[in-house]
Amino acid sequence: MISGRDIIYISSIEWDFVWQGHQEIAIRFARAGNRVLYIENTGVRSPRLSDSRRVINRLGKWIESLESGGVRSIEDNLHVCSPLVLPPFGPSWRQQINRHLLLPLIKRAARKLGMRDPLIWTYLPTDTALNLVRMLRTPQSRVIYYCIADFSQLTPYRAQLRESERALIETSDIVFAQNNQLAKHCMQYNSNVHIFPFGVNLQAFPFEREENGHALGDDAVRRLQSLPRPIIGYVGGLHRHVDFDLVVQMARARAHWSWLFIGPKQTDLRELSALPNVHIFGQLPHERLVFYIREFDVCIVPYIQNSYTETVLPTKINEYLAVGKPVVSTELPSVREFNDRHKILTLTPATPEAFLRAIEEALQAPDDATARSRRRAVAALADWSSRLEKMCAIIERHLAAGSDAFHAR
């Protein structure tokens, strides 16, 4: 693991959002002895009315952090910045305000923490992120772009995003990509591209059941254990990429099954939540998810197939497998690629009849210790401990070969 560095981490999600690779990598860097400034999402598109709560939360965090120099401390070596910036792209005056008034506040926060010659790690390919990288970079800095999705599918400014991403890839010293498709895209502009799908924290999803008071005393878990079987479960954001029409039809067709959803509500769920056999728990702490997933009979990934999801390998798949659970998913290209390697998932077309048939097959398939152990073994291949060590080895080799002047703080 890298240690003793200053790392500025430009994330595409909030720190308190569903726990993913963004937070996992940042906190591991901090605990390894690096000083990390985690910059929360500066956006890919302009906010909508449905984003009003998120905007208000960001304003509150920003005001709260003013007394501490624009950052809040999460734990030793890990600081979070919640910047106020105008949306990316659009008219030139918007970029000018960001570049000359708002982004310098982030640079000031980094200086207040004493950061110098930082390693700059970004998930965002927007003009805002690119301007921030250029502002923070020094001759001794190194830039890493982690390409995790095709963000051009999330903005009306597709051409502008593709141009800013091209410039970011060209200026990056190292590019990590989630899958082959994204890697091929990045290799058009940079030869130093390495494929690293998101991993899983095996310690957060222990295979063996821990019959301790903390787990047994959870009222929500007891409620879950009392539901009619089978329990069909989903963990993750309840967003527009979930095929809710599909889920509603399936829940109606199998009214005697229990359908459980855990995650932040990011879209209208009224039709789904009105069904008596559907239970929506909302977002839960990451460390508590294992107690719920253990009660699932089948775990599902009912994503819509579109230009954005075709490059996505959901983190939840390895979390489900780590607990030894059978997984049924729609036939997303990245999920199919994953399953071609491991032969561990049940993939299905996104129709109620086919998806229900796949769930029923998973319910009837052997679910003994051998099957559960094999699922866990596949998840273990994506353990963040080994995955991040390999990523760090690439970074260290580049640092050693590329610049003798680069030094630890």
Side-chain angles (χ1 to χ4, degrees):
M1 277 287 290
I2 290 173
S3 184
R5 307 280 182 189
D6 286 331
I7 301 176
I8 296 180
Y9 199 82
I10 306 172
S11 181
S12 58
I13 61 173
E14 316 299 301
W15 175 260
D16 296 322
F17 188 60
V18 173
W19 192 270
Q20 299 177 53
H22 309 65
Q23 300 100 318
E24 190 71 45
I25 293 174
I27 204 164
R28 286 174 182 265
F29 275 148
R31 291 174 180 175
N34 301 285
R35 186 165 44 190
V36 179
L37 176 59
Y38 184 105
I39 301 170
E40 292 189 310
N41 188 16
T42 54
V44 176
R45 56 168 176 79
S46 297
R48 305 186 182 106
L49 184 60
S50 59
D51 298 312
S52 57
R53 179 176 297 180
R54 183 173 62 85
V55 173
I56 292 170
N57 287 341
R58 169 61 61 86
L59 180 60
K61 289 177 183 177
W62 181 77
I63 293 173
E64 182 183 336
S65 69
L66 289 178
E67 292 185 5
S68 57
V71 299
R72 66 186 193 276
S73 181
I74 302 299
E75 60 176 58
D76 288 348
N77 287 327
L78 180 57
H79 310 274
V80 173
C81 176
S82 306
L84 285 184
V85 296
L86 295 179
F89 311 114
S92 59
W93 61 263
R94 192 186 287 177
Q95 291 191 43
Q96 294 298 321
I97 291 176
N98 277 340
R99 187 182 295 120
H100 297 294
L101 293 178
L102 301 178
L103 293 182
L105 297 177
I106 300 175
K107 185 175 183 179
R108 187 181 306 169
R111 283 180 176 172
K112 198 169 185 68
L113 291 173
M115 290 189 158
R116 60 193 182 97
D117 300 332
L119 187 70
I120 304 171
W121 180 300
T122 182
Y123 292 90
L124 283 175
T126 60
D127 57 351
T128 306
L130 180 61
N131 287 332
L132 185 56
V133 167
R134 289 168 172 167
M135 183 178 297
L136 296 169
R137 188 175 195 174
T138 72
Q140 288 75 40
S141 291
R142 291 296 177 267
V143 176
I144 298 166
Y145 173 44
Y146 199 167
C147 183
I148 61 170
D150 182 1
F151 283 108
S152 69
Q153 302 302 320
L154 301 181
T155 175
Y157 298 101
R158 291 186 181 181
Q160 292 93 324
L161 187 139
R162 287 170 177 153
E163 178 59 26
S164 64
E165 184 182 47
R166 179 196 60 76
L168 177 63
I169 294 171
E170 289 177 345
T171 199
S172 294
D173 298 289
I174 299 170
V175 176
F176 296 131
Q178 274 264 44
N179 54 42
N180 285 321
Q181 183 176 344
L182 293 173
K184 288 178 182 177
H185 164 69
C186 293
M187 288 180 69
Q188 298 176 91
Y189 314 112
N190 191 316
S191 61
N192 196 14
V193 178
H194 309 267
I195 299 175
F196 283 98
F198 268 8
V200 62
N201 180 358
L202 291 180
Q203 291 183 336
F205 295 88
F207 189 41
E208 298 300 327
R209 184 180 295 272
E210 298 172 0
E211 300 292 354
N212 55 57
H214 182 55
L216 295 177
D218 190 304
D219 290 339
V221 172
R222 282 202 297 267
R223 172 190 163 197
L224 180 56
Q225 292 170 337
S226 69
L227 294 177
R229 296 282 179 172
I231 295 175
I232 313 303
Y234 170 90
V235 168
L238 298 169
H239 44 62
R240 63 190 179 94
H241 301 300
V242 175
D243 193 339
F244 288 109
D245 288 339
L246 170 67
V247 172
V248 166
Q249 291 182 64
M250 290 195 297
R252 285 175 175 161
R254 296 295 183 273
H256 57 290
W257 292 3
S258 297
W259 298 79
L260 181 67
F261 296 85
I262 297 174
K265 303 173 185 178
Q266 299 172 262
T267 191
D268 186 354
L269 302 178
R270 283 176 293 184
E271 186 177 11
L272 182 65
S273 60
L275 299 177
N277 59 330
V278 170
H279 309 271
I280 300 176
F281 278 61
Q283 185 170 349
L284 298 173
H286 189 248
E287 65 273 12
R288 299 293 297 150
L289 292 180
V290 64
F291 299 115
Y292 294 78
I293 295 175
R294 282 188 180 137
E295 301 302 325
F296 296 172
D297 294 298
V298 174
C299 302
I300 59 172
V301 185
Y303 277 14
I304 290 173
Q305 298 186 54
N306 57 32
S307 299
Y308 177 75
T309 60
E310 73 176 10
T311 61
V312 170
L313 178 64
T315 298
K316 62 181 66 61
I317 286 178
N318 277 313
E319 293 173 346
Y320 294 156
L321 293 175
V323 191
K325 294 295 178 177
V327 181
V328 177
S329 173
T330 46
E331 297 174 309
L332 306 179
S334 291
V335 175
R336 190 184 308 116
E337 183 181 319
F338 176 91
N339 204 43
D340 287 343
R341 291 196 304 271
H342 304 298
K343 311 292 188 214
I344 200 68
L345 312 175
T346 300
L347 303 188
T348 174
T351 66
E353 298 78 14
F355 208 118
L356 286 171
R357 188 162 53 248
I359 293 175
E360 288 167 343
E361 290 174 0
L363 288 169
Q364 295 165 8
D367 192 34
D368 53 18
T370 300
R372 293 191 294 272
S373 295
R374 181 168 179 268
R375 295 174 192 135
R376 173 75 175 189
V378 170
L381 297 174
D383 180 23
W384 268 124
S385 295
S386 59
R387 183 151 291 180
L388 191 52
E389 283 182 5
K390 293 175 183 176
M391 298 170 86
C392 286
I394 293 170
I395 296 170
E396 290 284 22
R397 284 199 301 270
H398 182 86
L399 293 173
S403 177
D404 294 332
F406 191 94
H407 54 79
R409 58 177 169 84

